Amino acid sequence: MPPPATLPTGEIFLSYSRSDRVACIALRSALEQAGFPVFRDEDSIRCGDRWLTSLQKALLGCSAFVLLVGRDGVQRWVGAEVEVALSRHLSPADGAQRLPIFPLFLEGAEHGDLPPFLALFQAARWSADEPLPEALLAAITSGATLPDYRETFDGCPFLGLRAFARVDARLFFGRRMETLEALACLGDQREANPERLQGSAGAGYQRWLQIEGNSGAGKSSLVNAGMLPMIERGALWARTGFEHWRLLGPMMPGLDPLAKLADVLEHALIAEPAQRDVLRLQQRFERNERALASRLRDLKQERTAFLLIVDQFEELFTFAGDAPRKQFDALLAQALHDPECPLFLISTVRADFLDRFEQLPRLRAIYNSHCRRYFLPTISENGLREVIEQPAALAGLDVREVATAILDDARDEMGALPLVENALFTLWQRRDGNRLSGQCYRDENGIVGILSTQADELLARIEADVAQGRRAALELLLRLTRINDEGRHTRQRITREEAILVAGNGRDEIGERVLQLLSGERQPGVPSAGGQGALRLITTSLVGKQRYVDLIHETLIRARGKDATSGKRIGYWPTLYDYIEANRDRDIHRRQLGFQTEQWLKSGGIFARWRNLAGWRDLGLYRRLRVVSGSDEGRFLAASRWNARVQVALLALLLSFVGESYLWTRRNDLPLDSMLMQQRYRLGYAPLPELVDIPAGSVDIGEQDEEFVKGIPETTMMYLGVPGRRVEITSGFSLGKYEVTYEQFDYYVWEQQRTADRRLAHYPTAAKGGRGKRPVVNVDWSAASDYTRWLGERIGRECRLPTEAEWEHAARAKTHTAYPWGDEVRRMSSGREEVMANCRGCGSSWDGDQSAPVGSFAANAFGVHDNSGNVWEWTCSVGRERFDGSEQTCAAGDRENTEARVVRGGSWNDVVAFARSAARFRVPPDLRFDFLGFRVWCSSQS
C-alpha cells in the first residue's frame, strides 16, 4: 500500500482491550506500513498514578484516536481513554484541532457496543488479515471525523417539553462536554490507579455529586440521557474502581421522601415483585437512620456500587414535611459517611433553593467534604445548534430554514432549551416532507409564540369540548403550581383523584375529560405521525399504587422578564401566568389550609380538635378551593363546616331563646358551652354528689412503713403523719364517692344565685381540662364548707367536710399499705401494670399536667375513688405538725377561725410520695389552687 501524499504531523493513539492485543499489533503494523506514526507507550499510562494527566499529555501530541472495538466492547481503561479523547474532541485546547475519533469494529462487535456519545461517529469494520479501509486512511490523513449521519431514527427526534430519559440518549445533544465534566466530579480526584481504588470515602474521593442550575437549564435531562447511559457502560470505573453499577431511581422526594426511597430501592434491588415489601422498608427507614446503609451493605457485591439519583432535590423543601425530611437527611448522610456502604448520590437542585440546605443539618455537615457541586450553565449557542441540527440529521430532516432564526430567538433566553425543543417538535408536526418550514416558524412568532399559541389553542379546544372547560383547565394548572413571590413559580404534583376533582369541580366525567385533553389527546381526524400526539401540558406517573399528575415543564408557569414600560412580569405563556398572578392568594390559602389541617390532626381529644377547626372567616377563604372529600383537608373542612352550621344554629337559638344565658356566661366568665349546662339545670337536671357508706372502726393514721420513714428527712415527717397514732371512728358515715365536680358545684352556685343573695356564691375559675366531670378546684375552705351545708339542707342530712381522721379512715379502707391497693404506686393485674392514680410518676396521661375526670381510677375497698393523687382535698380539721387529737375534730369558729386547715390526698402536680394515704399538708383557709378541691361528708342514713 503506497503511503499517503500528506501524513498527519502527530501520532495516532490506539485504544484497545487487552483481549484484542493481537489485532492491535496487526493494526499498529498496518498503520506504520502506511506511513502513519503510532503512539507506543500506552502501557505506561495504565500502570501508575496520575494516569489522567499522562493520558491527556499523550493525546495532546496525537492527531487521531482510533478505537478498536472487539467482543468486550468499551470497558475499563478503554472507556477512560475514550472519555479523555471525547473531551479533546468536544473542547480542544486553545488553538488546537478537534481530535478526530475513528471507531474500528472487529469481528463480533456491534454498533450498540459503542458508548452513547460515540454512536454518531462513522465506524468501519476490519479484520487483522485484511488491509485497512481506504476511507479510514483518507480520514486519518485529512484529520476529519466522519459523523455517521445515516438516517437511523424513525419518527420525531425532538421531545417537545418532555424531559429526556435514558431511552432518549441517542437524541441527547448539546451537552456532551457538560456530561463528561459532571462525570469527572464523581469518585477519585487524585488520579489514583483505578485498579487499586477501594471505593473509600477518603480525601479527594467524592461520592455525592450535586447538579445545580436554573429552571429550564436541563439538569434532569443531563443526568438521565447524558450521564446515566455512560455510567451503565462503565464510565465511572476509572475514577471509582467500580465496574458495575446498580441504579436506584431517579426518584423525586415528593410529600413523603421515605416512601419514595423505599419504593425505588425495592423495585431496583428485588427482581421478584412478590418478594418486595415497600411498606416494611419504609418503616425501617422511619425508625432507624442507619437502615439505608445497612440495607445496601447487605446487598453489595464485588466491584459493584449503588447510584441513587434524586431529581428535583428542592422538593425536600417545598413538599416534604419536617419529620420525613429530617429522617431522609439522616439516612443519606449516614450512608454517604459509611466507608463500607458503596452508595453514590447524584442530586439535581434548582439554584434558587441552595439557601434552604440549612434545613438538612446532617447533609449540610458533610456538604463541603463529601459533595462535589457542578453548576450547569444555560446551554450555549453551539449547544443549541447541536440540539437543532444533529437530531435532525439522524432523522434525515432539513432544518436550514429555521436553525438560524431559532438560534437568534433563543439568545439570552433563560429557558431556551425547552422552548427550542417544543418549537422543533411543533415544526416537525407541520413539516413539509422532510423540511421544517421557516415560514411556519415566522407565522407562529418564534419559540415563545409557538408555546403560547399552542397552549391557547389547546384551551380553546377544551372550551369547545367541555362547558367551562377553559376555566377548568386553568384551575387545574393553577393547582399544579406552587407560587413564588418573585415569579419563580415551581410545579407541584397532586394525586390524579384530586386533579379530577379540581378540573371537574366535583363532576368526575368533566374532570376526566379535561385531564385527557391536557395530557395530549390528539384531535379527531388528525393523524398522530410517529407516535406523537397534540401538545401535552401535564403528565401522569405511577408511584407505588398511587397515580400523580404534574406539569410537563416549569416553563409554562415562569416569567420570561418584565415589561419595559409597566414593570409587570410577562410569562412565557401569558394566559396561564396572568391567571396565576390573579389568583396567587389561592396557593397561600391552600398552604394555610394544610397547616390548619395538620394542627387539627395533632390535637388530642375532641375539645382540642374543636378548638382547632376553621372559623367562619377561614371557611370563606377556602370556599374557592377544590379539596378531595376523603383527604385530611376534606375531613377538616367537613368538620369545620359542620361546626359552623352548629354555631349558626346555636346562635339563632341564643338570639331567640337563650340570650340571657349568653349574658350569664359572660357575666360569670364561663365558657360558651356552659349555656347548654344552664339549660339542663333549668330543665330539672340537678347533679349531686354520689355517697358511699363508710363503716365505723379503728384506723392507724400516719405513715406505717418504718423503712420508708427511715429514708425521709425529719423536716418532711410532719407531711406524712409521722409519728402516727391509732384513732377510733365510733360511728359510720357517708362520704362522697368522688371529689365534687365542676358540674355539681356550678349547679350549687346557679341555685344560690337564683334563689338567694347572688353574692353568696361564685363560679370558680376552670383549670386546665375544663369543667364538667373534672374535680372542682380554685375553691377556698369557706366555699367548700358552704357547699356542704347547702347539700345537707338539700338532702335532709348533716353534711360537712370530713375530719382528717375520717378522711384517712375512708382512704385506707382497712389497709396499712402505702396506697389502698399496695405499697407500689402501680398495681400488677394479670401480669401487667395498672395505673391507679394521677400524680407525677403515677403513669397516667394526666401526670404533671392536669386533673383527671373523677372516677378515672379504680375504687378502694370502701368504694371510694381518687383518694390518691388527682387533687388535694380540704378537711375540716385544723392543721397541726403532729397528731394531737385535732385530727378527729372540725375547726371551731368556722369563717372566723383563720388557722390553717389540713388537706389530704396529693395531686396531679405532686410526686408519688404525696399520693400515699398518709400524705397531708396545711393550707390557710382563704387560699385557692388549681390542684385543691374537696369531697363531702354526710351523716349516715341509718
Side-chain angles (χ1 to χ4, degrees):
M1 178 186 305
T6 304
L7 294 175
T9 56
E11 296 177 306
I12 298 173
F13 191 101
L14 299 185
S15 182
Y16 64 96
S17 172
R18 290 290 182 262
S19 60
D20 300 320
R21 192 179 189 89
V22 173
C24 179
I25 292 172
L27 175 61
R28 175 183 295 175
S29 176
L31 287 170
E32 288 175 340
Q33 288 178 16
F36 295 105
V38 179
F39 179 76
R40 293 176 171 272
D41 199 25
E42 63 268 24
D43 286 343
S44 64
I45 295 174
R46 299 186 180 185
C47 66
D49 291 335
R50 310 299 296 176
W51 62 270
L52 179 60
T53 300
S54 301
L55 182 56
Q56 290 171 336
K57 288 181 178 179
L59 284 172
L60 191 62
C62 292
S63 59
F65 182 91
V66 177
L67 171 64
L68 204 58
V69 185
R71 297 179 187 275
D72 293 341
V74 179
Q75 298 179 8
R76 295 171 70 88
W77 281 114
V78 178
E81 292 165 354
V82 166
E83 278 190 56
V84 178
L86 277 170
S87 296
R88 167 85 187 281
H89 172 81
L90 296 170
S91 182
D94 293 341
Q97 295 275 337
R98 287 183 180 271
L99 179 67
I101 298 176
F102 304 100
L104 195 60
F105 286 169
L106 298 175
E107 184 180 357
E110 299 295 336
H111 201 267
D113 294 331
L114 289 177
F117 289 176
L118 285 183
L120 292 177
F121 295 101
Q122 183 170 338
R125 288 197 172 273
W126 177 71
S127 175
D129 56 2
E130 297 176 353
L132 288 173
E134 292 292 338
L136 173 64
L137 295 175
I140 294 175
T141 301
S142 64
T145 297
L146 299 177
D148 190 3
Y149 279 162
R150 294 169 296 174
E151 296 183 24
T152 59
F153 192 85
D154 184 23
C156 180
F158 308 112
L159 271 64
L161 293 176
R162 180 170 64 85
F164 283 82
R166 267 183 277 177
V167 295
D168 305 312
R170 63 189 299 206
L171 300 175
F172 184 64
F173 295 98
R175 290 294 200 185
R176 290 182 291 180
M177 193 63 223
E178 289 89 339
T179 300
L180 296 175
E181 289 173 350
L183 285 169
C185 294
L186 275 172
D188 180 66
Q189 307 298 306
R190 302 159 301 181
E191 303 180 34
N193 188 325
E195 293 178 337
R196 296 197 293 271
L197 278 177
Q198 298 300 313
S200 66
Y205 192 96
Q206 306 293 340
R207 289 167 51 187
W208 176 14
L209 169 62
Q210 181 158 281
I211 309 292
E212 303 166 359
N214 297 317
S215 177
K219 302 179 292 295
S220 300
S221 297
L222 180 84
V223 172
N224 291 323
M227 298 178 67
L228 295 187
M230 296 283 288
I231 291 171
E232 287 179 305
R233 295 294 184 89
L236 289 179
W237 171 81
R239 290 181 177 83
T240 65
F242 289 106
E243 190 170 357
H244 305 293
W245 292 82
R246 303 186 72 174
L247 302 185
L248 311 176
M251 63 163 281
M252 290 181 284
L255 292 171
D256 192 345
L258 301 182
K260 297 288 182 67
L261 180 62
D263 185 73
V264 162
L265 258 68
E266 288 295 279
H267 281 79
L269 303 179
I270 307 300
E272 194 63 43
Q275 296 178 4
R276 297 171 186 156
D277 193 340
V278 176
L279 181 59
R280 181 184 178 191
L281 184 58
Q282 178 185 346
Q283 291 170 343
R284 284 183 59 189
F285 287 163
E286 292 169 346
R287 292 192 302 266
N288 184 2
E289 66 181 42
R290 299 177 182 271
L292 174 61
S294 174
R295 177 68 169 158
L296 296 180
R297 283 200 308 268
D298 291 343
L299 295 173
K300 73 177 182 179
Q301 299 171 335
E302 186 178 359
R303 297 190 302 170
T304 301
F306 302 96
L307 176 62
L308 174 64
I309 305 99
V310 183
D311 196 12
Q312 298 183 36
F313 209 65
E314 62 269 15
E315 289 191 359
L316 287 172
F317 315 123
T318 57
F319 292 163
D322 288 342
R325 178 175 59 247
K326 289 179 180 177
Q327 189 66 6
F328 188 79
D329 170 42
L331 286 165
L332 289 188
Q334 184 68 38
L336 290 171
H337 199 63
D338 186 344
E340 298 300 319
C341 174
L343 174 69
F344 289 72
L345 170 66
I346 295 178
S347 56
T348 70
V349 64
R350 271 178 39 181
D352 49 335
F353 282 93
L354 293 176
D355 59 339
R356 307 280 189 93
F357 268 79
E358 296 296 336
Q359 299 178 29
L360 302 174
R362 299 289 294 276
L363 287 174
R364 183 65 180 160
I366 63 172
Y367 201 42
N368 294 328
S369 58
H370 288 65
C371 179
R372 182 73 182 270
R373 300 166 61 184
Y374 180 80
F375 185 83
L376 183 64
T378 301
I379 192 167
S380 66
E381 185 168 328
N382 285 334
L384 281 177
R385 188 178 298 278
E386 283 191 19
V387 168
I388 298 168
E389 294 177 350
Q390 296 198 15
L394 280 177
L397 298 173
D398 181 358
V399 294
R400 288 175 295 177
E401 291 185 20
V402 299
T404 301
I406 290 177
L407 290 173
D408 288 342
D409 288 345
R411 192 173 292 117
D412 301 325
E413 285 284 1
M414 290 291 292
L417 190 55
L419 292 171
V420 169
E421 279 285 342
N422 180 66
L424 291 167
F425 173 77
T426 303
L427 292 171
W428 178 86
Q429 289 181 308
R430 303 175 187 181
R431 67 196 180 280
D432 181 8
N434 71 334
R435 179 178 62 87
L436 302 193
S437 169
Q439 185 61 48
C440 178
Y441 179 74
R442 289 187 292 274
D443 290 344
E444 293 291 347
N445 296 316
I447 56 176
V448 176
I450 286 177
L451 174 63
S452 179
T453 301
Q454 280 183 302
D456 284 337
E457 289 175 351
L458 178 56
L459 288 184
R461 182 184 166 211
I462 295 174
E463 180 71 15
D465 194 292
V466 178
Q468 299 290 315
R470 183 179 189 275
R471 181 180 178 84
L474 289 172
E475 280 291 319
L476 176 55
L477 298 173
L478 172 65
R479 179 66 186 94
L480 293 169
T481 304
R482 190 174 186 87
I483 296 174
N484 175 272
D485 291 339
E486 299 176 357
R488 297 195 300 268
H489 309 318
T490 56
R491 57 187 179 179
Q492 57 181 354
R493 290 189 303 279
I494 62 174
T495 64
R496 192 174 189 278
E497 178 188 12
E498 184 178 357
I500 291 172
L501 173 71
V502 171
N505 198 18
R507 293 173 294 176
D508 288 356
E509 68 282 359
I510 290 179
E512 284 278 7
R513 184 59 182 152
V514 172
L515 250 68
Q516 290 172 3
L517 294 169
L518 288 174
S519 299
E521 180 189 89
R522 67 182 180 88
Q523 299 182 50
V526 177
S528 177
Q532 304 289 342
L535 176 68
R536 301 178 67 195
L537 300 185
I538 63 174
T539 62
T540 58
S541 58
L542 181 65
V543 179
K545 297 181 180 179
Q546 183 65 269
R547 289 196 173 274
Y548 291 92
V549 175
D550 197 356
L551 284 170
I552 194 167
H553 203 280
E554 285 181 351
T555 303
L556 295 166
I557 56 176
R558 298 299 293 273
R560 60 179 301 214
K562 291 184 178 181
D563 183 89
T565 304
S566 65
K568 178 184 175 183
R569 295 190 185 98
I570 303 172
Y572 283 108
W573 180 18
T575 301
L576 178 57
Y577 191 83
D578 291 346
Y579 193 82
I580 292 171
E581 289 298 297
N583 295 277
R584 58 170 39 250
D585 60 334
R586 205 89 63 82
D587 188 57
I588 297 172
H589 295 159
R590 187 171 292 279
R591 294 187 211 181
Q592 179 180 322
L593 172 61
F595 175 76
Q596 285 191 318
T597 301
E598 184 179 356
Q599 295 299 111
W600 178 68
L601 291 172
K602 290 180 179 177
S603 302
I606 295 176
F607 181 70
R609 280 203 166 193
W610 173 78
R611 284 190 309 171
N612 284 315
L613 289 172
W616 292 352
R617 175 183 173 276
D618 290 337
L619 286 174
L621 296 176
Y622 302 152
R623 181 174 52 84
R624 297 178 66 192
L625 300 182
R626 299 172 183 179
V627 180
V628 178
S629 58
S631 65
D632 290 340
E633 289 85 355
R635 292 189 295 110
F636 170 73
L637 285 178
S640 298
R641 287 166 183 154
W642 179 87
N643 179 61
R645 288 192 290 269
V646 170
Q647 289 179 358
V648 170
L650 287 176
L651 182 60
L653 183 64
L654 178 68
L655 294 174
S656 303
F657 303 105
V658 293
E660 186 275 333
S661 290
Y662 175 77
L663 296 176
W664 169 74
T665 59
R666 299 300 88 195
R667 185 172 59 248
N668 293 286
D669 197 23
L670 294 172
L672 287 179
D673 56 4
S674 297
M675 290 191 298
L676 179 61
M677 185 60 67
Q678 187 194 37
Q679 305 315 311
R680 296 182 67 192
Y681 294 160
R682 285 175 169 172
L683 293 173
Y685 177 61
L688 300 176
E690 185 179 350
L691 303 174
V692 294
D693 292 331
I694 308 297
S698 60
V699 57
D700 292 321
I701 62 174
E703 183 57 54
Q704 306 296 310
D705 188 336
E706 294 181 359
E707 290 299 319
F708 179 78
V709 171
K710 291 177 182 178
I712 61 177
E714 186 173 346
T715 55
T716 307
M717 290 184 177
M718 62 175 289
Y719 301 118
L720 291 165
V722 179
R725 62 179 301 213
R726 172 165 291 191
V727 299
E728 193 71 29
I729 306 299
T730 57
S731 300
F733 57 90
S734 295
L735 193 69
K737 185 176 184 179
Y738 311 107
E739 295 138 332
V740 175
T741 65
Y742 270 100
E743 184 180 65
Q744 295 161 354
F745 197 88
D746 286 350
Y747 174 69
Y748 150 71
V749 176
W750 181 75
E751 273 279 307
Q752 288 294 93
Q753 291 189 352
R754 189 170 64 93
T755 60
D757 187 344
R758 71 173 60 246
R759 294 175 299 176
L760 295 178
H762 302 279
Y763 292 97
T765 304
K768 186 175 182 181
R771 307 178 83 85
K773 298 295 184 182
R774 304 278 176 154
V776 66
V777 293
N778 292 318
V779 292
D780 60 21
W781 186 87
S782 295
S785 297
D786 289 344
Y787 177 87
T788 62
R789 279 192 292 272
W790 169 84
L791 179 65
E793 294 172 1
R794 182 69 182 256
I795 65 177
R797 295 163 67 175
E798 178 192 359
C799 293
R800 56 174 170 79
L801 294 172
T803 66
E804 184 178 10
E806 289 166 342
W807 189 97
E808 187 164 346
H809 172 60
R812 286 192 175 277
K814 298 184 178 181
T815 65
H816 293 82
T817 52
Y819 311 97
W821 57 84
D823 286 321
E824 300 296 330
V825 73
R826 302 182 198 181
R827 180 172 67 183
M828 295 301 296
S829 177
S830 302
R832 299 179 61 183
E833 282 190 335
E834 181 181 358
V835 176
M836 300 297 292
N838 174 19
C839 70
R840 291 185 184 274
C842 284
S844 80
S845 59
W846 303 282
D847 287 7
D849 184 54
Q850 58 184 280
S851 64
V854 299
S856 295
F857 306 101
N860 66 13
F862 285 166
V864 180
H865 291 257
D866 308 325
N867 290 100
S868 297
N870 213 27
V871 295
W872 289 97
E873 299 175 18
W874 287 110
T875 72
C876 68
S877 299
V878 173
R880 304 282 190 238
E881 290 190 7
R882 296 182 174 226
F883 295 130
D884 59 1
S886 62
E887 69 274 3
Q888 292 181 265
T889 62
C890 288
D894 203 7
R895 292 179 185 275
E896 293 75 21
N897 190 339
T898 59
E899 293 182 277
R901 305 300 198 266
V902 176
V903 295
R904 298 297 299 260
S907 79
W908 56 267
N909 198 37
D910 293 292
V911 296
V912 293
F914 285 104
R916 299 168 78 92
S917 297
R920 60 197 297 268
F921 212 80
R922 296 184 301 165
V923 176
D926 59 343
L927 293 187
R928 302 179 180 90
F929 297 105
D930 63 354
F931 49 77
L932 175 55
F934 69 97
R935 72 177 73 221
V936 299
W937 177 100
C938 293
S939 59
S940 177
Q941 285 184 310
S942 57

